[in-house]
Amino acid sequence: MILYVVKWNIHPEKEDAYLNWLSSAIPRTLGVPGVVEFRGYRGWLGTPQIVATYEFASLQDWSTWFTHEENQKVLSELYGVTHNAFGELWGPSPAVPEPIRPGK
């Protein structure tokens, strides 16, 4: 699996605009083929305030999704209602290539 992690802070003066944007942004990114799973998290301490994760079956799936015109529009809009936004791309660890679950 490939994990794309996006982190950001909500711009204090744009919280209403952020919430309005978010209601359409998530469905739009999930409408682009390739995403296996999406999760959103809200930080309890410090920054960043928001973390979103997208999982993909392959690097090619991520690349196709990431470069899609609709997804690029959503990411561009993200920068207008947030600050300190950045993404990270993660792949499997050679030391732990498969999930390890307790008791297995």
Side-chain angles (χ1 to χ4, degrees):
M1 285 299 224
I2 301 298
L3 184 66
Y4 183 57
V5 180
V6 188
K7 302 175 183 180
W8 64 84
N9 293 310
I10 301 168
H11 197 290
E13 291 85 37
K14 298 181 180 181
E15 190 161 354
D16 289 339
Y18 168 79
L19 293 172
N20 289 334
W21 166 81
L22 190 62
S23 67
S24 73
I26 294 170
R28 289 165 51 208
T29 62
L30 297 179
V32 177
V35 178
V36 173
E37 181 176 278
F38 169 83
R39 291 181 185 237
Y41 300 91
R42 187 78 181 242
W44 287 355
L45 300 171
T47 61
Q49 293 173 309
I50 308 294
V51 173
T53 63
Y54 294 85
E55 284 193 16
F56 301 88
S58 69
L59 188 56
Q60 180 61 50
D61 288 345
W62 171 81
S63 178
T64 301
W65 173 84
F66 184 78
T67 59
H68 191 279
E69 181 180 354
E70 185 64 24
N71 193 54
Q72 286 297 306
K73 271 176 71 175
V74 170
L75 290 173
S76 178
E77 294 163 3
L78 170 71
Y79 299 121
V81 292
T82 66
H83 60 97
N84 299 331
F86 64 96
E88 301 171 337
L89 189 60
W90 295 79
S93 165
V96 186
E98 298 293 327
I100 300 172
R101 296 190 170 82
K104 304 279 179 180

